[in-house]
Structure formats: structure tokens, C-alpha cells
Amino acid sequence: MFSRAYFWSILFVVVLWSSSTFAGVLSVRGGSDLPYHIKADSLSYDDATKTYRARGHVTITRADQSLSADAVDLNAETMEAEAWGNVHFRSGEDWLTGTRLEINLDAGIGTLYDGTLFIKESHFYIRGAKIEKTGKDSYHVVDSRFTTCEGDSPAWEITGKDLRVTIEGYGTVKHAAFWAKSVPVLYAPFFVFPAKIKRQTGLLVPQISYSDQKGFRYNQPFFWAISESSDATFNEHYMEHRGFKHGVEYRYVLDAESKGTAMYDFLYDRQIDDGTADDYEGFTEDKVNELRLNRKRWWFRMKNDQDLPAGFKAKLDVDLVSDQDYLREFDTGYSGYEDSDSYFLKEFGRELDDETDTVRLNQLNLNRGWDKYSLNVDFRWYDHVITRKRRHDSEEWIQQNWEHVQNQESQSRQQQQNLPSVNFTGSKQEIFDTPFYFDLQSSYDHFWREVGTRGYSVDLHPRVYYPVAFGKYLDFEPSVGVRETLWQVEEYGNETTREEDQLESREIYDLKADLSTEISRIFNLKGTTVDKIRHAIKPQVVYEYIPDVEQEDLPPEDETTREEDGWVKDHFVSGIDKKNVVTYSITNNFTARTSERPKPDSETQLEGEQEQGSLPPKYSYHDFCRIKFTQSYDIVEAQREKNGEERRPFSPVKGEVEFKLSRYLDLDADAAWSPYDDEFTSYNAILTLCDRRGDYGSVDYRYTRDSSESILTKVFVKLFDPVSVYWENERNLKDGEDVKSVVGFKYEPQCWSLGFSYTDDRTMDEQEYFVEVSLYGLGEFGRGYKPDKVKK
């Protein structure tokens, strides 16, 4: 997987790491004022030359540095030392060894002969006939060899006859070669490279793959270190069947709370409408341009966090894509949907909309938090990908699909946009020194749409609580909420006799009562690890009441805001239905107490404990199981006139199970059972198993009656050291079809790895092959399978 040009980038990385870390090994650590300690079989001092002469099992130590050899001469004034015979110098976890060492212990410069340097952080072994630090930032290595492999016959190494480098400058190497075992793979008689410890502009590791839909793929990124606080990456992604996809990413960091990333990709897709002149015969030039416009595919996404004055913070999310299929077709790779989504979640804590969503949210959020209150201001804009694309389709296609286009266009223009939405909330808190508590929910919304009802609304909803405890057995918390809603319509979308710009209101109250208790028992197991388990049972009954109030003056709802078609269901002012519901539940919680007896420490033990030889154990607590059942009884439904329809006041019985016995077993499951149909309406379960070796497996099962049934299985097994295999399969059980399958293996010796995976994506009708070669310490070549974490 190597190319000659890429080899030089590898060599630059190797020399850069080795030279900068060598500086750390030979640097002064722990402070120059610390004393040296010298031990030897014999030690003499020459007053004329101010030199200590140590012979036999010599060790010189200071802080975390140590030098050992058969013989050492140390000048007490210059701190220059010469050591020979089994020389070993250690600094922290890094070390070097050789036949002879000349070193200035204070300045941290010196020369090692026939030596080996080991850097723990990158597990690098650097060998040379002569490894020399010639100045503050300059180095010279004769007959250099670099590898991360153990042993005298490494699986791979990079060699150079004569290496000279200056940190933050440039380096040269003569007769550079890359070896696989004893076989030379690449060679260069002379090479000049930049030696920058800081971020360096240059090529990054490419990605190589093949699929039947895109053909051979090569993705080469180029990194640009613009400044200490910003950088950019340019991607040139060649696809044999599709053409070149160009990408750019820009990142900046001002401080811990202010940062941003913007990404843009563009592809002139050769696989779409790739017609000849005859195919366009009879079309006007404008129509031909419209058809060709479909080949211009792109994706722009951006997230920003910004600290503002007065404790405010801003968050910006932008997500615009050319067409509804782009994200599914290009979901892998450096600039694919999966990597972009993972990056934004890791860096900003916010995901992108799902790759299948055709209505994508763009949002600006301003927020401010206090101890018990918070303020959020949102500007939300929903972009309708399909409708926006259809506006550029050819006239002929539009005429052939006129009804569908009209429906999509109508829905898009009537989509409600929140510009802005303001929410001010107060958490539950005590009212002065009284037994009463209150919380607050309030909002202001300005609703705008291109066609349809527009206007403002204000909603204020405070709630007052009065918690009461009946002894140690019952907790009772009644509460009452008052809700005031004001709205003003700027323009009605439909013909109406209602007056516009008229302020209207709705007042309503709601009641709630929460009654609960908890009983528990502690079981003494007297185990070596888990000694006690606490089982707590919490029955709970909650009553909720909202009266039936007249709401005929509410603005009309638009029929086009339908959730099932992907359109956001968000009305101007939503109606509040009458509510008279009793919800009862029972929750079981299991908590384990684990004990760990600390090792005796003679310096800190009490005298009595020393005699007994023991210390009080340390305890930790783990909630390993939760089981909950819930059901509601709707009094309104029970009193409803039948009118030929069966009353169903009882809701489905819902059950939830969370079981995490240890870090090796995790089960989450839920189900809903209908007492009227005598069957489950839904049930879902995720089971994850793993072990200390790194093997793991997971099963994610989902079922919704009359809708969907699927199962996702993932298995990763370490067959034997160093071979691992993995398999992933997603199957639509309702249709009896596989959705996506991945199978692969990985061979991982001590210092390199080889991986291969095959992906069959039936939703996109695409088969893909990936090969990954990794030389530990240098990077990866190609792109390998990365098992996803189970999403709960």
C-alpha cells in the first residue's frame, strides 16, 4: 500500500518524533538544583582536573534520571561525563543504551556510540552507530535505524546512512530505505524534509478502497497549519466511476468554549444523467443545463460554539445538502456522513440529523444559565431537501409529476419556521422559608412560513407544589399549575373572517397529585466481592387533571405539517385536550455493595490495626438492576359515549428492564402489552457481552406491531493472538431481507497490523472492499472496519 512519494512523508514523521523525543531523554529534568548521587565499587577524585573516577557497577542518579556503566569519569565543574562498558541511561520511562556515552549532564547534550534509544510514548526504537545531539536543536545519527518492533530482526524498519536534523528547521538523510524484514521495499539516495515539532502542513494518510458502485477509490487529504489556533484539511477523493469529489474542512479554536468547524464537499457526478448529444436532442439549452445541474452534488455542514459577554453562549448548527441520496451514497471515508457525525458529536456534543432525513434542521442557539434558571433563544430553519432540488428539475419532469411536485412545494412553503423561539425555565425550588415549592416553564415564539398562518405566541406555566410526608411510609405531593397563553396572528393562510393583528388569550389550570412509598430489604450474601444487596420496591400513583376549556379561537392548523411524510409537526398554538388520567407504576431497584480491603500500610496503620493486621474495608455501591411496570387509566375515555366504538381506558402495560451485572454484561429492554388485543404492541432489547480479552458481541432487536421488526447483530472475537475476526448484520425481519452485512479479519502482531473487510449494503445496492495496513507509530494505510458502539 506504499507509494514512493508517501514514503518520504513517513520518514519525516519518524525522524521528527525521534529527534524531538531524544531531546527529552538528554534534557535536564527535576530541576538543576537537585544533587547527583554516585555509587561505585571504587570512587576517586582528581583535584587537579576536578574529576570523579568511578569504576565497577557505577550508577549516577538525580530525580528520575540515572546513568549506569562499568566506568564513568565525571567533571564536577563542567558536569561532563564519559561512560563506557554496558552504558545505560534512563530518563523517566525512556532509555538509551550503548558501548560508550559522552554527555553533559546539565546541558543535556552528548553522543552515544553503537547505541539504541527507546521512546516509551511512541514505542520507538532508534538505533545508530553514532547518535549525537550537536546543539540545542540539532542532531546527527550515523547508520540510523527506526522501528516500533521488538527484537533484533524487526518486521519492518526504516534506515538511513547519515541523518542530520534541526528542530523547527530542516533535515537531510542519505540512502534512506524502507525494509520489510530483510527485504528492501523503497529506496532514495538523498532526501530533504521539514522538521517541525508543531503542526506541520503536508500530506496525511490516504484512504484506499473499492466498491462496485464507485469503483477504485483513493482519498488523499492535505493538511494546512494556518496558525496556532486554526487549520484546514483539503480532500481530493478520486472515484473511478463517479469522478473527483473535492472537500475542504476549516477548524478554529479561540479558547475552551469558543471553537468552530465548517466542512464542504462538491462532486460533479459522472454517473448521473451522463447522456450524449442525442439524449439531449429537442431540449433547449436551459433544459440541458437543468438536467446537468443534477450532477452537481454537494454537502455543507458547520457547527460553532462561542462564548459571549454577560455569561451568554452561542451555538450554531448548519446542515445543507444537494439531494436526498447524497448522504447515504457517501456515508464512509474522511468526509463521509459517519466520520462527520462522529466528529461533531465528539467535539461539540451535538449530532447531525439522520442521513435519511430529507428535512434538515439549521439552528442558532443563544443560552444563559443561572443557579436555578435558564434562558434559551433558538432560531430554527427547516430545509426541505427534496423540494429545493425539485425547483431545479427540468420542465418536462415537472409536468410529468405535476401533482407530486405541487404537494411537495405546498408542504415546503407552509413549513413552520421558529424565528425565534425563546424559553425561560426555573427548576423546582423552595418558596422562601415556606413548605411550598414552585417551578416555571415559559416561552415566546414567532412563527413564520412562506405561505400560511404567521404570528406570535407567549406561554407562561408556573406550578406550585406542597410535598407532605406521612411518617416514614408515604410521600404525597399535590401540585397545581396555571397556564396563560397569548397569541397574535399577523396573517391567516386560509380565507377567514377573523381579524388579523388581534391579541387573543387562553387560560387553563391543571392539577397533579403524586403518591408514593418505598420498602426495602438488605440481603447479606457474605461474598468475597459482593457482601450485600439492597432490594427497594417503589409503588407510585400519579393523578393528572386538565379541564375541558373552549379553544375555538385558536389559529387553524395546516394540514401539510405531517410527521409521517418527514414534515415537522409544530403548530402555531397547539390545543390542550381534556385530561383525567391515573397512572400507577411499581419500580424495583437492586443495589450491590462491594467491599475491598486495602493493603496494610505500616506508616499509616493505627497501632491496634497493626496488631490485628487489617484495615477497615472500603465500600462502593452499584445499581445493577432496575425493573419497572407502568399503566394508565383514562377516565375521560371510560366515560366517553361508545358510538359504535369500544372504549379502551386502560393503556398498554409498559415494562422496562435495565440490567448491568458488571462491565461485561449489559441488558436494556422495554415492551408494551395491550390488555384489549392480548398481544405486545412493541418490544425492544439490546444485549451486550464482552470479556477481558476484548471479545464482545451485541444483539439489538426492535419490534413495533404493524410497522417494523429488525435485528442488528455484532460480533468481535479474538481467535488467537494476533488474529481477530468480526461480523455485523442488520436484518429486516418483517420483509425477510438483510439490510447490511460486514465481515472481516485483523492480523495484529506486536508492531504492525493487516485488516480486511467486506461490506454488502443492500439499501444502496453496493458492495465495498477495504484493506488496512498499519505500522504502529507511523499511521494507517487504506481504511479498516471500525466497530460501532451499540446505540441505546
Side-chain angles (χ1 to χ4, degrees):
M1 305 304 292
F2 280 86
S3 67
R4 186 177 296 273
Y6 193 63
F7 166 72
W8 308 131
S9 297
I10 299 169
L11 185 59
F12 152 64
V13 174
V14 174
V15 177
L16 171 61
W17 269 97
S18 62
S19 58
S20 61
T21 312
F22 183 56
V25 175
L26 294 184
S27 63
V28 179
R29 300 165 65 124
S32 60
D33 58 338
L34 295 178
Y36 288 98
H37 299 276
I38 304 176
K39 293 182 180 181
D41 292 342
S42 66
L43 179 64
S44 62
Y45 180 71
D46 187 338
D47 189 61
T49 60
K50 308 297 183 184
T51 301
Y52 288 97
R53 304 187 189 280
R55 301 293 184 267
H57 302 94
V58 182
T59 61
I60 301 177
T61 60
R62 180 172 68 169
D64 63 347
Q65 291 186 328
S66 65
L67 170 63
S68 62
D70 292 340
V72 175
D73 287 347
L74 172 63
N75 188 292
E77 288 187 346
T78 64
M79 297 311 297
E80 292 180 350
E82 181 179 358
W84 61 92
N86 298 311
V87 177
H88 190 93
F89 181 86
R90 178 176 293 274
S91 180
E93 294 186 309
D94 304 331
W95 53 262
L96 55 82
T97 184
T99 59
R100 190 165 100 252
L101 174 65
E102 298 169 355
I103 182 174
N104 186 304
L105 293 173
D106 279 346
I109 61 173
T111 303
L112 177 69
Y113 297 90
D114 298 321
T116 299
L117 170 65
F118 175 73
I119 295 93
K120 175 68 174 179
E121 183 178 3
S122 55
H123 205 270
F124 258 124
Y125 288 94
I126 303 161
R127 298 177 174 90
K130 181 180 180 182
I131 303 176
E132 183 179 11
K133 185 180 181 184
T134 58
K136 179 180 178 182
D137 296 308
S138 57
Y139 304 87
H140 177 217
V141 184
V142 178
D143 296 335
S144 57
R145 299 166 59 196
F146 309 93
T147 187
T148 58
C149 301
E150 305 277 0
D152 296 328
S153 180
W156 66 267
E157 66 177 345
I158 296 175
T159 64
K161 193 66 177 176
D162 187 81
L163 169 67
R164 297 179 184 272
V165 60
T166 300
I167 302 302
E168 296 302 331
Y170 291 88
T172 61
V173 61
K174 298 177 181 178
H175 304 292
F178 175 80
W179 297 72
K181 278 291 186 179
S182 58
V183 179
V185 178
L186 291 172
Y187 169 79
F190 185 77
F191 179 55
V192 180
F193 58 91
K196 308 288 186 180
I197 294 178
K198 299 177 181 178
R199 293 174 308 147
Q200 175 64 32
T201 298
L203 297 175
L204 299 178
V205 180
Q207 291 182 335
I208 303 171
S209 60
Y210 176 85
S211 72
D212 57 349
Q213 291 289 329
K214 303 178 181 72
F216 173 77
R217 299 165 61 186
Y218 182 88
N219 190 349
Q220 178 62 66
F222 176 82
F223 178 79
W224 178 23
I226 301 172
S227 67
E228 292 186 359
S229 60
S230 65
D231 55 53
T233 303
F234 300 88
N235 287 287
E236 282 299 319
H237 188 178
Y238 169 73
M239 292 173 284
E240 181 183 6
H241 299 160
R242 312 297 285 268
F244 278 95
K245 182 159 72 78
H246 316 284
V248 61
E249 303 175 12
Y250 174 74
R251 297 166 291 270
Y252 72 88
V253 177
L254 302 180
D255 55 50
E257 302 296 332
S258 300
K259 58 185 178 179
T261 299
M263 305 179 182
Y264 177 74
D265 296 286
F266 178 83
L267 168 67
Y268 191 75
D269 199 337
R270 295 195 312 230
Q271 206 172 68
I272 296 180
D273 295 329
D274 196 9
T276 63
D278 293 337
D279 297 323
Y280 296 132
E281 185 176 357
F283 287 92
T284 65
E285 182 178 353
D286 289 340
K287 290 180 181 177
V288 172
N289 290 335
E290 288 174 355
L291 289 172
R292 288 176 174 168
L293 185 63
N294 291 330
R295 300 171 67 176
K296 297 180 179 179
R297 311 182 71 187
W298 50 269
W299 183 27
F300 178 75
R301 61 274 192 208
M302 176 172 66
K303 291 188 185 296
N304 300 80
D305 291 348
Q306 183 64 48
D307 246 351
L308 299 175
F312 280 87
K313 299 180 185 295
K315 300 179 185 294
L316 176 64
D317 300 321
V318 178
D319 188 358
L320 302 169
V321 66
S322 60
D323 57 86
Q324 69 272 24
D325 298 319
Y326 181 95
L327 299 182
R328 290 185 297 165
E329 292 183 26
F330 303 103
D331 60 343
T332 60
Y334 279 136
S335 58
Y337 173 83
E338 292 179 359
D339 280 14
S340 296
D341 188 48
S342 298
Y343 170 82
F344 284 128
L345 180 60
K346 177 182 177 181
E347 296 296 328
F348 297 90
R350 306 191 297 277
E351 296 178 291
L352 295 166
D353 288 341
D354 190 81
E355 59 187 320
T356 61
D357 289 344
T358 59
V359 179
R360 309 193 71 79
L361 174 62
N362 297 269
Q363 178 175 255
L364 171 63
N365 171 264
L366 304 173
N367 65 83
R368 172 74 157 89
W370 295 268
D371 289 341
K372 297 180 180 179
Y373 296 94
S374 63
L375 173 66
N376 277 274
V377 182
D378 290 303
F379 295 84
R380 301 192 197 102
W381 181 271
Y382 297 93
D383 179 51
H384 294 258
V385 179
I386 296 177
T387 303
R388 173 166 44 77
K389 181 178 181 297
R390 289 287 176 250
R391 291 171 180 171
H392 298 289
D393 282 330
S394 66
E395 183 178 334
E396 181 181 1
W397 188 95
I398 291 175
Q399 291 177 352
Q400 292 175 354
N401 300 271
W402 178 250
E403 184 177 349
H404 176 72
V405 171
Q406 283 290 92
N407 182 50
Q408 293 282 346
E409 181 72 18
S410 174
Q411 290 177 332
S412 175
R413 298 179 70 188
Q414 295 188 48
Q415 171 61 53
Q416 182 171 285
Q417 313 289 358
N418 297 68
L419 302 169
S421 175
V422 182
N423 290 273
F424 182 76
T425 61
S427 61
K428 188 177 178 182
Q429 54 196 280
E430 189 177 9
I431 303 177
F432 302 112
D433 293 328
T434 69
F436 295 95
Y437 291 76
F438 88 100
D439 62 20
L440 173 67
Q441 301 288 330
S442 63
S443 64
Y444 163 84
D445 291 278
H446 175 220
F447 300 103
W448 182 92
R449 48 168 63 93
E450 190 175 350
V451 175
T453 304
R454 300 181 228 167
Y456 305 85
S457 74
V458 177
D459 195 75
L460 188 66
H461 190 191
R463 175 175 292 277
V464 177
Y465 303 82
Y466 180 66
V468 180
F470 295 98
K472 300 180 180 179
Y473 305 102
L474 284 176
D475 291 320
F476 180 60
E477 185 179 71
S479 64
V480 57
V482 178
R483 187 167 183 177
E484 174 75 23
T485 306
L486 305 173
W487 68 89
Q488 181 172 312
V489 177
E490 295 176 314
E491 179 181 336
Y492 284 101
N494 303 318
E495 293 184 5
T496 180
T497 58
R498 297 184 183 183
E499 293 185 14
E500 296 176 350
D501 294 326
Q502 181 73 30
L503 184 64
E504 301 186 67
S505 66
R506 174 190 62 195
E507 296 78 25
I508 196 169
Y509 69 90
D510 62 281
L511 303 176
K512 186 176 181 180
D514 187 332
L515 179 66
S516 65
T517 188
E518 182 177 282
I519 55 177
S520 63
R521 181 180 176 183
I522 296 177
F523 297 88
N524 292 305
L525 303 182
K526 299 181 180 180
T528 56
T529 303
V530 179
D531 63 343
K532 292 184 179 182
I533 289 181
R534 180 179 184 267
H535 177 202
I537 302 175
K538 182 181 179 179
Q540 185 176 26
V541 179
V542 178
Y543 172 73
E544 296 175 276
Y545 174 78
I546 299 177
D548 186 14
V549 298
E550 185 177 334
Q551 303 178 67
E552 295 180 356
D553 293 335
L554 293 180
E557 297 177 353
D558 293 288
E559 296 180 356
T560 54
T561 54
R562 297 177 298 173
E563 237 175 350
E564 60 270 22
D565 289 341
W567 307 94
V568 178
K569 186 176 181 180
D570 194 4
H571 306 307
F572 191 122
V573 178
S574 299
I576 300 177
D577 295 331
K578 180 180 179 180
K579 189 174 187 179
N580 199 359
V581 175
V582 177
T583 301
Y584 37 91
S585 64
I586 185 168
T587 305
N588 291 265
N589 284 301
F590 297 85
T591 304
R593 189 180 82 167
T594 58
S595 61
E596 180 181 354
R597 191 169 296 278
K599 296 180 180 179
D601 184 352
S602 58
E603 295 183 1
T604 59
Q605 261 185 334
L606 297 176
E607 182 177 352
E609 293 171 333
Q610 285 181 333
E611 294 176 356
Q612 298 174 8
S614 64
L615 285 172
K618 295 182 179 179
Y619 296 108
S620 60
Y621 299 87
H622 171 56
D623 296 326
F624 68 90
C625 185
R626 175 178 173 269
I627 303 173
K628 183 177 181 179
F629 295 96
T630 308
Q631 188 181 35
S632 297
Y633 180 77
D634 191 336
I635 301 174
V636 174
E637 172 68 12
Q639 296 175 349
R640 175 184 60 84
E641 294 184 6
K642 288 188 176 182
N643 294 327
E645 297 181 3
E646 179 187 5
R647 297 193 189 106
R648 293 193 169 192
F650 288 98
S651 72
V653 179
K654 296 180 180 179
E656 301 173 28
V657 176
E658 296 177 11
F659 183 70
K660 192 170 185 178
L661 186 60
S662 68
R663 59 180 177 174
Y664 305 118
L665 186 151
D666 193 350
L667 171 66
D668 275 8
D670 62 82
W673 180 80
S674 172
Y676 301 102
D677 301 327
D678 196 22
E679 64 176 351
F680 286 99
T681 58
S682 69
Y683 42 88
N684 311 285
I686 302 177
L687 174 64
T688 304
L689 298 170
C690 62
D691 59 26
R692 295 179 180 177
R693 293 197 326 156
D695 306 317
Y696 78 87
S698 67
V699 179
D700 185 353
Y701 179 82
R702 305 282 176 178
Y703 168 79
T704 303
R705 186 179 62 181
D706 302 328
S707 177
S708 63
E709 185 179 11
S710 64
I711 186 170
L712 174 62
T713 307
K714 297 181 181 181
V715 178
F716 184 92
V717 179
K718 290 189 174 182
L719 294 180
F720 52 86
D721 193 18
V723 178
S724 303
V725 295
Y726 51 85
W727 173 70
E728 175 183 327
N729 179 262
E730 182 179 1
R731 184 171 179 80
N732 185 333
L733 298 176
K734 183 181 179 183
D735 298 333
E737 297 179 351
D738 286 335
V739 177
K740 185 177 182 179
S741 298
V742 180
V743 63
F745 75 88
K746 200 163 189 178
Y747 177 71
E748 298 178 279
Q750 179 264 322
C751 59
W752 66 283
S753 68
L754 169 67
F756 172 82
S757 68
Y758 168 74
T759 303
D760 186 4
D761 189 343
R762 290 169 178 79
T763 59
M764 301 304 299
D765 191 24
E766 182 175 21
Q767 290 76 46
E768 207 159 24
Y769 303 86
F770 291 104
V771 176
E772 174 193 28
V773 177
S774 177
L775 304 180
Y776 298 158
L778 297 186
E780 297 177 352
F781 308 86
R783 181 183 183 275
Y785 170 79
K786 296 180 180 179
D788 296 325
K789 293 182 178 179
V790 177
K791 294 183 178 180
K792 299 181 181 180

